Tab-separated table of all heavy atoms in Angstrom:
chain	number	residue	atom	x	y	z
A	228	ALA	N	30.096	6.107	4.033
A	228	ALA	CA	29.251	7.198	4.501
A	228	ALA	C	29.481	8.460	3.670
A	228	ALA	O	28.531	9.160	3.316
A	228	ALA	CB	29.529	7.479	5.976
A	292	PHE	N	17.350	0.005	6.901
A	292	PHE	CA	18.614	-0.601	7.288
A	292	PHE	C	19.478	-0.838	6.050
A	292	PHE	O	18.997	-1.369	5.043
A	292	PHE	CB	18.395	-1.939	8.012
A	292	PHE	CG	18.114	-1.794	9.477
A	292	PHE	CD1	16.922	-2.229	10.018
A	292	PHE	CD2	19.053	-1.225	10.327
A	292	PHE	CE1	16.654	-2.092	11.366
A	292	PHE	CE2	18.800	-1.088	11.685
A	292	PHE	CZ	17.599	-1.525	12.205
A	307	GLU	N	11.123	-6.160	12.843
A	307	GLU	CA	10.500	-6.195	14.159
A	307	GLU	C	11.025	-5.080	15.062
A	307	GLU	O	10.346	-4.669	15.994
A	307	GLU	CB	10.717	-7.559	14.816
A	307	GLU	CG	9.891	-8.658	14.160
A	307	GLU	CD	10.037	-9.990	14.855
A	307	GLU	OE1	11.039	-10.182	15.582
A	307	GLU	OE2	9.142	-10.843	14.683
A	385	ARG	N	-10.867	-2.574	1.735
A	385	ARG	CA	-11.166	-3.688	0.815
A	385	ARG	C	-11.648	-4.901	1.593
A	385	ARG	O	-11.387	-6.046	1.214
A	385	ARG	CB	-9.904	-4.018	0.018
A	385	ARG	CG	-9.296	-2.828	-0.723
A	385	ARG	CD	-9.818	-2.676	-2.117
A	385	ARG	NE	-9.246	-3.693	-2.971
A	385	ARG	CZ	-8.075	-3.569	-3.604
A	385	ARG	NH1	-7.367	-2.463	-3.459
A	385	ARG	NH2	-7.618	-4.532	-4.374
A	386	LYS	N	-12.330	-4.652	2.699
A	386	LYS	CA	-12.824	-5.723	3.569
A	386	LYS	C	-13.547	-6.803	2.773
A	386	LYS	O	-14.316	-6.508	1.861
A	386	LYS	CB	-13.771	-5.134	4.621
A	386	LYS	CG	-14.427	-6.175	5.516
A	386	LYS	CD	-15.566	-5.570	6.315
A	386	LYS	CE	-16.353	-6.653	7.029
A	386	LYS	NZ	-17.571	-6.140	7.677
Side-chain angles (χ1 to χ4, degrees):
F292 276 119
E307 288 183 340
R385 305 269 286 273
K386 176 193 171 187

